[in-house]
Amino acid sequence: MLTITDFIRILQMNYKSPTLEMEELEEHKLSTWRDVLNDVKDLIYIHPDASLYDAIKMLIHNKIHRLPVIDQRNGNVLYILTHKRILRFLFLYIHDMPQAKYLQQSILDLKIGTYKDVEVAYEE
């Protein structure tokens, strides 16, 4: 799966090359970009019948930001699942879900985030 980061890398590589006009990028094929990027990885995906927990676990364990939801029958991508979409879903439907005690606790008490050794840069 090519991401916006991949496209930016392609543009940076070609912008630095005086032998390639930017207009030539229009004639490139995805297979060319795959060879140039030289970091082809197995596609990490999930099927639509997987649980929300499984999807979250896959995003976190694989350190990815986008998870394609693929149809098992034909291999088509049905949807791209992101952290933002999951948070939005939880926010919209939190009142319909059983309430866990930790949802009422403070972020500090739950120790979510970074609380030590935070550096701050001031505009001066």
Side-chain angles (χ1 to χ4, degrees):
M1 182 164 79
L2 286 172
T3 65
I4 189 67
T5 304
D6 295 325
F7 287 114
I8 290 169
R9 287 175 52 205
I10 290 290
L11 290 172
Q12 287 174 330
M13 290 165 60
N14 287 301
Y15 182 76
K16 293 177 183 176
S17 172
T19 60
L20 181 67
E21 294 293 325
M22 291 302 278
E23 289 81 20
E24 289 180 42
L25 286 175
E26 294 176 10
E27 298 174 17
H28 282 202
K29 296 180 180 181
L30 291 178
S31 58
T32 304
W33 288 359
R34 187 179 299 132
D35 293 339
V36 170
L37 290 172
N38 199 24
D39 62 353
V40 178
K41 299 174 187 142
D42 289 337
L43 180 64
I44 298 167
Y45 62 92
I46 199 162
H47 296 296
D49 58 347
S51 71
L52 178 59
Y53 176 80
D54 289 338
I56 293 169
K57 191 167 83 173
M58 287 188 78
L59 285 164
I60 292 170
H61 284 248
N62 291 290
K63 298 178 183 175
I64 56 177
H65 300 280
R66 289 165 218 82
L67 182 62
V69 179
I70 296 184
D71 189 327
Q72 294 172 334
R73 294 169 293 167
N74 56 25
N76 289 341
V77 175
L78 301 173
Y79 191 71
I80 303 292
L81 191 61
T82 64
H83 296 239
K84 181 179 177 180
R85 297 276 179 161
I86 291 171
L87 286 172
R88 181 165 176 75
F89 171 83
L90 293 173
F91 174 75
L92 290 173
Y93 296 101
I94 194 141
H95 299 293
D96 298 334
M97 298 176 189
Q99 294 294 308
K101 287 184 179 182
Y102 61 82
L103 291 176
Q104 303 307 319
Q105 289 180 273
S106 74
I107 296 170
L108 178 62
D109 290 341
L110 293 170
K111 297 184 180 7
I112 298 173
T114 303
Y115 289 91
K116 294 181 180 182
D117 302 324
V118 175
E119 297 292 331
V120 179
Y122 295 99
E123 187 178 336
E124 291 178 3

